[in-house]
Amino acid sequence: MNSEEFEAVVEDVVLGLPDWVREAFDNLRIQVTDSPDPEMDPDRQDLLGLYIGIPLTERSANEAGSLPDVIYIFRLPHLALGLPPDELRREIAVTVMHEIAHYFGIDDDHLEEIGWD
């Protein structure tokens, strides 16, 4: 899957979210890139996605005017999974939803409890 196709899948996932979810995005950018920057997490170059920011549940008025939160979705680690196209699209969607959940303040433990680990 080339970069444009991968970005289109990510965009389709975001556009397919309920309106109330997209409307709740505040100061959030979703960035597709090939691989994690080693400075992000040098031990985890296999990361599929990464949320960097302050979750909505932890924000205060002091965050007004701050840099946007960023959700990174990494293309090459997804491709390295070697999944058939339909399964790859599903895995991309799961990754996007997982990182959006972090933006809303849902941690990995709770995601695991509900089957989104």
Side-chain angles (χ1 to χ4, degrees):
M1 178 179 291
N2 67 35
S3 296
E4 293 80 23
E5 293 168 329
F6 191 91
E7 288 180 24
V9 172
V10 171
E11 184 176 341
D12 286 347
V13 170
V14 173
L15 291 175
L17 294 170
D19 290 340
W20 69 266
V21 173
R22 288 193 323 274
E23 290 168 3
F25 290 170
D26 179 40
N27 208 23
L28 175 68
R29 190 177 88 219
I30 298 176
Q31 177 76 41
V32 174
T33 188
D34 275 344
S35 300
D37 183 325
E39 292 180 15
M40 290 177 182
D41 194 338
D43 298 326
R44 296 290 315 271
Q45 291 301 292
D46 60 341
L47 285 175
L48 300 177
L50 181 66
Y51 167 68
I52 297 178
I54 301 170
L56 288 180
T57 55
E58 298 176 18
R59 291 189 186 184
S60 69
N62 295 337
E63 274 77 68
S66 63
L67 292 174
D69 290 7
V70 181
I71 290 174
Y72 292 96
I73 305 298
F74 304 115
R75 186 176 72 93
L76 294 179
H78 276 90
L79 297 181
L81 296 172
L83 298 172
D86 287 345
E87 289 180 37
L88 177 60
R89 284 180 171 76
R90 183 183 183 295
E91 186 61 41
I92 294 166
V94 167
T95 301
V96 171
M97 296 299 293
H98 182 103
E99 300 309 327
I100 288 172
H102 288 320
Y103 167 78
F104 281 104
I106 302 171
D107 65 17
D108 283 327
D109 290 339
H110 186 70
L111 287 171
E112 186 174 329
E113 287 173 16
I114 61 174
W116 278 85
D117 56 340

